Amino acid sequence: MKKYEERIIEYADILYPDKLREIKNPPVRLYTKGNIELLNKKCISIVGCREPSIYGEKAAKYFSYNLAKNNICIVSGLAKGIDSEAHLGAIYAKGLTTAVLGNGLDTIYPKENKELANMIINQGGTIISEYPLGTTPERMNFPARNRIVSGLSTGTLVIEAKEKSGTLITVDFALEQGKEVFVVPGNINSINSVGTNRLIKEGAKLVSCYEDIIKGCY
């Protein structure tokens, strides 16, 4: 733990995030690195597909940048694609962002995001996981991880999701937790928009600017 500058927050700890206490199956403990005070600040999660279009990348950066400029912490999963763009948008805004991992903090997955993880910490952000050191990034860990991504946040913004995207698991958790779900509409000719456009049909809030999210949550 000293080697990785890791700190454990138990459920009974006063620093344990209040919003996570309210969700179903809250983590018993959180393994954290960085600024743990972020876990109780205003947060919006941004999620989406791992192979976004240029439109999706720009949208993720736009929303995360401007929300971060408004003192809202951006929460995502450090995955390739929309997650990475969301973290970067907050970093470019000199704002704060939290990454939730599906493995131990001694491993950054995917490997190419190791530099991004360092940028998050160096700018005052935080990286957390419910999994102890030595836990490898097993496939089964990531759906469970998503309940923490949505649980830490007041609302979840979805940017590009295919028809059967894993992103929709995060949406299900957000709805179960009573959180707001926002969606950026997509190109009807793109497979990356099938899931997002369906969410809008089903009642998710369509957003076209960051102010829509601030008004919807705060």
Side-chain angles (χ1 to χ4, degrees):
M1 287 175 59
K2 288 182 179 178
K3 177 181 177 181
Y4 292 100
E5 300 177 342
E6 182 181 280
R7 179 173 179 177
I8 296 177
I9 303 176
E10 301 283 352
Y11 182 85
D13 196 315
I14 192 172
L15 294 173
Y16 191 93
D18 293 333
K19 290 189 286 292
L20 285 188
R21 295 185 192 277
E22 301 169 358
I23 72 171
K24 183 179 179 181
N25 299 322
V28 175
R29 62 185 58 85
L30 293 172
Y31 300 87
T32 70
K33 182 176 181 179
N35 181 8
I36 59 177
E37 293 182 2
L38 292 188
L39 303 180
N40 277 304
K41 289 188 176 293
K42 293 192 295 185
C43 298
I44 292 292
S45 56
I46 299 180
V47 296
C49 66
R50 286 174 168 75
E51 298 177 348
S53 65
I54 294 175
Y55 166 78
E57 292 177 353
K58 287 183 176 180
K61 282 197 181 83
Y62 162 80
F63 279 97
S64 62
Y65 180 94
N66 286 285
L67 291 171
K69 279 289 189 183
N70 281 271
N71 298 314
I72 296 172
C73 178
I74 304 302
V75 180
S76 201
L78 201 68
K80 292 189 292 184
I82 295 299
D83 286 22
S84 295
E85 301 301 328
H87 291 305
L88 284 170
I91 289 170
Y92 294 157
K94 301 189 184 305
L96 300 171
T97 182
T98 294
V100 186
L101 306 188
N103 48 266
L105 298 188
D106 52 332
T107 301
I108 296 299
Y109 178 81
K111 291 181 180 179
E112 55 263 40
N113 274 355
K114 187 172 183 178
E115 183 179 353
L116 176 56
N118 290 334
M119 291 168 66
I120 290 172
I121 295 298
N122 292 338
Q123 192 161 290
T126 185
I127 298 176
I128 71 170
S129 176
E130 67 176 319
Y131 301 107
L133 292 175
T135 304
T136 56
E138 301 292 337
R139 187 181 184 90
M140 67 184 73
N141 295 351
F142 294 95
R145 176 275 306 271
N146 292 346
R147 81 189 192 287
I148 301 175
V149 172
S150 59
L152 284 170
S153 308
T154 305
T156 294
L157 172 63
V158 185
I159 302 173
E160 293 197 326
K162 297 178 182 179
E163 184 175 10
K164 296 182 179 180
S165 172
T167 298
L168 302 179
I169 297 174
T170 309
V171 173
D172 289 339
F173 280 125
L175 293 172
E176 179 185 272
Q177 295 162 358
K179 308 299 178 78
E180 295 285 354
V181 176
F182 305 97
V183 179
V184 176
N187 184 338
I188 62 172
N189 297 311
S190 171
I191 60 173
N192 283 352
S193 301
V194 176
T196 45
N197 290 346
R198 188 179 75 234
L199 288 174
I200 294 171
K201 288 182 181 179
E202 294 173 350
K205 294 184 178 180
L206 183 155
V207 294
S208 58
C209 62
Y210 74 92
E211 291 94 342
D212 291 340
I213 296 176
I214 294 176
K215 292 176 182 176
C217 284
Y218 305 108

